[in-house]
Amino acid sequence: MASRQARSSSMTVALLLVAAAAVQMLVVDAATATASPSASAKKRPVVPAVIVFGDSTVDTGNNNAINTVLKSNFPPYGRDLHIPGGGATGRFCNGRLPPDFVSEALGLPPLVPAYLDPAYSIQDFATGVVFASAGTGLDNRTASVLAVLPLLKEVEYFKEYQQRLAKYVGPDRAKHIISNAAYIVSVGTNDFLENYYLMVTGRFLEFSVGEYSDYLVARAEEFLTSIYKLGARRVTFAGLPAIGCVPLERTLNVLRGGGCNEEYNQVAREYNVKVKAMIARLRANLKEFRLAYINIYDAMVDLIDHPEKLGLENVSEGCCATGKIEMGYLCNDVCPLTCDNADKYFFWDSFHPTEKVNRFFSKRTTEVWLSLLR
């Protein structure tokens, strides 16, 4: 378990981030994609839709519509998203997120719209929809930290979506879309870094870190069972990344030289083992449930250890501002320190990957998902 000193440092920085955000609230590149948007439109779709749940790793703009300081619908976010519907959409990235690339690879539109975005309608959502909310977690208390959508609310929106879809395309077609869609779930990092280790919800008093991992895996099992009962049949579920290696945690790890927080990484590895066992159990118990685990952790560590594989030059800091603590409103268009070329960086801000890295990770997700069709 992390020392009280490390937790206190984390909590202090988190409070500074929120305070700065409140103050500041007052005052893709298509040529490098695997296929162009026009080519995608002509391609026969492999699936009828892509449906997404989770946190900021997959939120394409839902937080724009809720009262939270955790937003990214302003420059320089989205500065490299040069396709129709692009710009600062609310994606925590300089460009596209993994669901966008998966959607395009499966023959669907290159951007998957956020369910709460008023610019889109059920016509758009019929081929792809994102219910994710940046800052949320498997634990409902995690969502309360920055007042974002809890995972249970994402499921409620999924139910509402099904009703709207049935009215738009008819009950039979809606059932076909729901049962044959590609489901992507990415959540869990915030439960540890934003909740447990910040000591803001009291979970650290209720559980040891191992017990909390068990608690989260149980919540994940409940969530996956709930969307199965609502019709989901082919789902990819991402494990935790190397959470101790994100720039913010490196910055807070000053007492250990500023490198990756290996204690946090060990927690992620142990959690992932439990997730894989849970997934195997659900696959055995739920008929026709094709559920696959996405190993983000090993892919991330390998890329950090061997950045030359993707032509990266910086894997420890973000491109935006100093790249050490900034995200959300602290990553803004005023800071003169933001890098010129995000393709040289693993991280866009102090927490989230660049579009280039998202594209790289999405290839594996697409491969795993396609294997579920066999």
Side-chain angles (χ1 to χ4, degrees):
M1 185 178 297
S3 68
R4 185 170 299 275
Q5 184 175 9
R7 290 178 179 172
S8 297
S9 297
S10 295
M11 186 175 185
T12 300
V13 172
L15 292 174
L16 288 173
L17 290 174
V18 173
V23 172
Q24 293 204 31
M25 284 181 74
L26 295 173
V27 280
V28 198
D29 188 341
T32 60
T34 54
S36 67
S38 60
S40 293
K42 298 175 183 178
K43 198 171 161 184
R44 181 178 178 83
V46 177
V47 296
V50 170
I51 299 176
V52 185
F53 298 90
D55 56 25
S56 60
T57 55
V58 289
D59 178 6
T60 58
N62 282 312
N63 274 22
N64 300 347
I66 62 177
N67 187 22
T68 177
V69 298
L70 192 57
K71 298 179 187 288
S72 59
N73 56 338
F74 46 84
Y77 285 101
R79 74 175 191 186
D80 299 313
L81 191 51
H82 303 308
I83 58 178
T89 60
R91 289 166 170 81
F92 281 79
C93 186
N94 61 305
R96 290 195 278 173
L97 301 181
D100 299 316
F101 290 110
V102 173
S103 177
E104 185 175 40
L106 296 178
L108 294 168
L111 295 179
V112 187
Y115 187 64
L116 299 183
D117 190 334
Y120 296 94
S121 68
I122 190 61
Q123 181 178 358
D124 304 294
F125 300 144
T127 57
V129 61
V130 171
F131 301 106
S133 177
T136 200
L138 293 161
D139 182 354
N140 284 333
R141 287 194 196 175
T142 301
S144 71
V145 175
L146 291 174
V148 300
L149 302 177
L151 203 56
L152 288 175
K153 186 63 177 180
E154 294 185 26
V155 175
E156 287 182 19
Y157 281 135
F158 181 42
K159 294 176 183 177
E160 178 184 274
Y161 163 73
Q162 292 193 31
Q163 296 171 352
R164 294 176 62 189
L165 189 64
K167 289 181 181 179
Y168 175 64
V169 298
D172 291 340
R173 178 60 184 169
K175 184 177 180 180
H176 172 81
I177 292 172
I178 296 301
S179 62
N180 290 281
Y183 290 81
I184 298 172
V185 183
S186 179
V187 66
T189 298
N190 297 317
D191 292 303
F192 290 100
L193 300 186
E194 182 185 303
N195 180 346
Y196 190 85
Y197 284 120
L198 286 188
M199 305 187 295
V200 292
T201 70
R203 288 302 195 197
F204 76 103
L205 294 174
E206 298 177 48
F207 304 105
S208 68
V209 68
E211 291 169 343
Y212 190 55
S213 289
D214 292 336
Y215 176 80
L216 294 178
V217 172
R219 302 293 77 74
E221 185 168 1
E222 289 176 357
F223 165 76
L224 290 168
T225 300
S226 70
I227 64 171
Y228 169 82
K229 290 179 178 178
L230 290 171
R233 287 298 179 268
R234 298 183 179 93
V235 182
T236 58
F237 188 91
L240 286 185
I243 59 176
C245 289
V246 300
L248 179 59
E249 297 308 320
R250 286 175 181 261
T251 301
L252 297 177
N253 197 31
V254 290
L255 296 180
R256 300 177 185 176
C260 293
N261 186 322
E262 290 305 327
E263 185 176 345
Y264 287 9
N265 284 349
Q266 178 63 27
V267 168
R269 290 192 294 269
E270 292 173 355
Y271 166 87
N272 288 341
V273 169
K274 296 173 182 178
V275 165
K276 286 187 278 189
M278 177 270 291
I279 286 176
R281 185 167 58 250
L282 285 183
R283 289 185 61 143
N285 295 336
L286 299 180
K287 184 180 179 182
E288 296 181 348
F289 197 20
R290 298 186 178 182
L291 177 61
Y293 171 78
I294 301 296
N295 185 356
I296 298 295
Y297 186 97
D298 287 344
M300 177 177 176
V301 170
D302 181 62
L303 199 53
I304 288 175
D305 289 343
H306 304 285
E308 70 279 358
K309 289 185 176 182
L310 203 59
L312 303 178
E313 297 179 6
N314 191 324
V315 296
S316 61
E317 299 168 330
C319 166
C320 189
T322 68
K324 296 182 182 297
I325 63 169
E326 296 89 352
M327 65 176 171
Y329 284 102
L330 291 181
C331 171
N332 57 66
D333 210 24
V334 177
C335 182
L337 300 177
T338 299
C339 77
D340 294 326
N341 184 2
D343 283 351
K344 295 180 180 180
Y345 284 70
F346 185 109
F347 295 97
W348 164 247
D349 58 20
S350 70
F351 216 83
H352 304 96
T354 59
E355 180 185 66
K356 185 175 186 179
V357 173
N358 282 333
R359 184 187 299 116
F360 178 77
F361 285 155
S362 71
K363 291 178 181 178
R364 178 57 181 159
T365 301
T366 302
E367 290 170 0
V368 172
W369 199 92
L370 287 173
S371 71
L372 299 179
L373 291 175
R374 299 175 193 143

